[in-house]
Amino acid sequence: MVTTISKLAGAAPGSLRSLTVAAWLGASLAGALASSASAETLTIALSSTVNTLDPTQAQVVGTDVSVATHLYSPLVARGPDGKLYGVLAENWQPEGDSAWLFNLKPGVTFPGGEPLDAEAVKWNIDRIRNPETKSRNRSWFDPVSEVEVVSPTQVRIKTKGPYPTLPDQLSMIFFLSPEWMKTHNPATEAYGTGPYKLKQFVAGDRLVLEPNDKAVLEKPTFDEVTMRVIPEASARVAGILAGEVDLAFDLPLEDVERIKKSGRADAGWVPSSRSMVVRMNTLKAPLAGNTKLRQALNYAVDKEGMVEAMLGGLGTVSQCQILTPAYFGFNQDLKPYPYDPAKAKQLLKEAGVTTPLKIELEVPLNRYFMASEIGQIVAGQLQEVGVEATIKEMDFGAWVKTYAGRDMGQMALLGQAWPTLDADGMLGLYAAANPTAYFDDKPFDEALKAGRGTTDPAKRLEAYKTATGRMCEEAPVIFLFAQPFTYGTSKKVTWKARGDDWVRATDVVKK
């Protein structure tokens, strides 16, 4: 089977790809010669488009949320070492099992002078919690009962019970100016207290940032930061080798070695917290209410062969869970579904499935590592057991709108990670109340509730052991692998490598 995978993985449309790269290089060369980037500029290549500048709606960490972290300030942030540090918050502590108190740094103001104080923090969190806002991040605050202003520099967030991961979750929340919001559109404009301010935003192409000279919480480290949308991996590699791009991600593994040997740039990889899965819509036929069918699809796919052939053995086959060992709550006891086509056929028969079964597989492009190739491999192996998967390739931005709009198809290839590195956030993506769950399982939800309902680490681990075990059994996804996170850097900079999808100029060090 490895041979089959290699053939498929090598079947990329080389001629079309070459044309794309040539076109990109041609378009960019003149600009590069004209700008002759100095050490004070930083160019970052994004693999997919920025969907929104509104942090209230931002969920994609590698693009939208990472952009927000340059423009706005959170209470806390997570560094490359995985630890939380205060940004707007000077310190924070729990108050019993039903509140967290945050002490804020004084004197922080928006560019126009209005204060970023406890009132502004409360306004922002209440806005996300308000159903009329239709914030995609509203579910993160379901456990919150009230936000109380104690003083201009103290805010208390009351919860319906223990919410031990609240500070972690707040690392993804950024604060807008209530006054500015009265007359502006945060989806296309920006006005914050982050280290940078918006200079130019060309949707689908680039975003240019310049230093926010009024920033007091985090200082800019570059005179200008440009984030360019370069969907084609080979074009990102070409940009790194040409010195036109200083930092790029999701590079093919074979190119990582090529870049390192070139002497013109650097590259590497780190373990990733992102799990690749084939998400199944368990609310739609034929996957709804048919556990044996979903299990059969897991037995039908050769995950080990995929990792060996496509990732050179650097990835890790998922242990029947979407968590990697980097997450609190990882269940060491679970084992992967083995590759067993005979078992898959048997389960299909027991499930009452008449083959060939026709099913649709959505594959969002230009976001996940070798997405098209992975989709082809999965479809090819499903066909071997009598499931004919029709691949529907889609632009990532267009796919996100259907996915977030509760309109995902029967199956979709998806990479999932959660920057808090806690099971509560990652597994919460499958809680029935989450708009992107596509899974409604009461025992699973109850286990998640138990994990969130205590601050006792041992009890939390036990709850997540139950939740991951239930998810393994019910198989709302085809568990694939945790991919390595590849990156390349120009000779101008070094990057504090991290595998949690955050893209921050503050993690880049000038040489």
Side-chain angles (χ1 to χ4, degrees):
M1 187 50 61
V2 170
T3 301
T4 304
I5 291 174
S6 299
K7 287 178 179 177
L8 283 167
S15 57
L16 177 60
R17 183 164 298 179
S18 298
L19 285 172
T20 305
V21 176
W24 180 80
L25 282 174
S28 62
L29 186 58
L33 291 172
S35 63
S36 62
S38 73
E40 307 305 320
T41 66
L42 178 71
T43 301
I44 301 173
L46 301 179
S47 58
S48 59
T49 189
V50 176
N51 300 292
T52 179
L53 298 183
D54 184 353
T56 306
Q57 303 292 345
Q59 285 196 325
V60 182
V61 176
T63 54
D64 302 3
V65 185
S66 287
V67 166
T69 197
H70 293 83
L71 300 169
Y72 297 94
S73 301
L75 283 170
V76 298
R78 186 178 298 279
D81 60 0
K83 296 179 181 177
L84 287 183
Y85 63 90
V87 180
L88 176 60
E90 204 154 57
N91 54 63
W92 59 96
Q93 58 274 332
E95 292 183 328
D97 283 343
S98 58
W100 283 85
L101 182 68
F102 289 84
N103 291 299
L104 311 183
K105 295 174 183 175
V108 181
T109 60
F110 289 97
E114 61 271 41
L116 174 47
D117 56 8
E119 287 284 359
V121 171
K122 172 180 168 56
W123 181 88
N124 276 271
I125 297 177
D126 285 347
R127 179 171 177 267
I128 295 172
R129 295 173 62 219
N130 185 347
E132 294 182 2
T133 307
K134 297 181 179 179
S135 169
R136 295 175 181 172
N137 305 329
R138 184 185 165 211
S139 63
W140 302 349
F141 294 98
D142 283 346
V144 172
S145 59
E146 181 184 359
V147 182
E148 178 187 6
V149 174
V150 180
S151 73
T153 57
Q154 278 194 319
V155 61
R156 177 178 289 118
I157 302 178
K158 296 181 178 179
T159 57
K160 299 168 187 172
Y163 191 0
T165 61
L166 178 62
D168 299 88
Q169 200 62 73
L170 285 167
S171 67
M172 298 171 68
I173 297 298
F174 304 88
F175 301 107
L176 301 161
S177 162
E179 187 64 28
W180 177 81
M181 278 290 294
K182 293 177 181 176
T183 53
H184 293 81
N185 178 7
T188 55
E189 303 172 77
Y191 175 85
T193 56
Y196 293 91
K197 59 183 179 181
L198 185 64
K199 180 178 180 181
Q200 182 187 33
F201 177 38
V202 182
D205 182 70
R206 70 181 58 212
L207 183 140
V208 182
L209 308 175
E210 59 185 0
N212 179 1
D213 54 12
K214 296 184 179 179
V216 296
L217 296 171
E218 292 182 296
K219 293 297 182 183
T221 49
F222 291 91
D223 294 333
E224 185 171 284
V225 176
T226 298
M227 298 185 178
R228 298 185 58 178
V229 179
I230 306 177
E232 182 66 47
S234 52
R236 295 196 295 276
V237 171
I240 284 289
L241 288 171
E244 296 184 6
V245 169
D246 297 310
L247 183 60
F249 308 99
D250 296 327
L251 308 180
L253 282 168
E254 63 270 23
D255 286 322
V256 169
E257 291 305 313
R258 187 163 66 90
I259 293 169
K260 290 167 69 174
K261 292 176 181 176
S262 73
R264 294 150 59 191
D266 295 315
W269 69 275
V270 292
S272 163
S273 58
R274 184 191 300 168
S275 289
M276 296 303 300
V277 300
V278 173
R279 193 79 180 262
M280 292 187 246
N281 190 336
T282 70
L283 309 180
K284 273 187 177 179
L287 299 158
N290 201 334
T291 303
K292 288 189 176 180
L293 167 57
R294 303 195 297 267
Q295 291 176 339
L297 301 187
N298 269 282
Y299 282 109
V301 177
D302 182 8
K303 283 83 71 174
E304 289 187 6
M306 197 179 292
V307 167
E308 190 63 33
M310 295 179 58
L311 307 179
L314 295 181
T316 306
V317 173
S318 299
Q319 288 186 224
C320 207
Q321 60 194 300
I322 57 172
L323 303 179
T324 72
Y327 288 83
F328 178 88
F330 175 74
N331 188 343
Q332 190 66 51
D333 296 339
L334 294 176
K335 305 298 179 188
Y337 279 94
Y339 175 52
D340 190 341
K343 178 74 171 178
K345 291 178 180 177
Q346 176 194 333
L347 285 170
L348 287 172
K349 189 174 181 181
E350 293 176 10
V353 172
T354 301
T355 55
L357 171 67
K358 297 184 183 299
I359 200 164
E360 192 172 74
L361 171 60
E362 296 174 346
V363 178
L365 300 179
N366 303 323
R367 177 66 183 89
Y368 304 122
F369 184 71
M370 299 186 77
S372 183
E373 289 84 353
I374 295 172
Q376 293 176 50
I377 291 169
V378 169
Q381 296 188 336
L382 293 183
Q383 189 169 20
E384 292 180 14
V385 301
V387 177
E388 293 184 357
T390 301
I391 293 177
K392 182 181 179 183
E393 293 189 340
M394 307 169 66
D395 173 74
F396 181 74
W399 178 81
V400 165
K401 289 182 180 177
T402 62
Y403 172 69
R406 298 175 182 258
D407 194 28
M408 192 187 86
Q410 292 169 313
M411 298 198 304
L413 181 70
L414 181 59
Q416 294 192 295
W418 203 249
T420 64
L421 298 181
D422 190 287
D424 179 68
M426 187 67 157
L427 297 180
L429 296 170
Y430 290 79
N434 192 307
T436 59
Y438 300 104
F439 183 50
D440 188 355
D441 185 75
K442 190 174 180 180
F444 176 78
D445 278 4
E446 288 178 346
L448 290 190
K449 187 177 179 182
R452 180 175 279 182
T454 176
T455 56
D456 185 326
K459 291 181 179 177
R460 294 189 69 221
L461 282 173
E462 191 61 30
Y464 295 131
K465 189 174 182 179
T466 301
T468 50
R470 178 70 181 178
M471 190 170 175
C472 175
E473 180 184 353
E474 286 298 311
V477 303
I478 301 176
F479 302 95
L480 296 178
F481 54 82
Q483 70 176 54
F485 189 72
T486 56
Y487 64 92
T489 58
S490 73
K491 284 293 186 182
K492 294 188 330 188
V493 302
T494 57
W495 180 60
K496 298 175 184 176
R498 54 193 304 168
D500 58 3
D501 279 3
W502 280 106
V503 179
R504 284 184 167 128
T506 50
D507 293 338
V508 181
V509 178
K510 293 176 284 191
K511 287 184 177 177

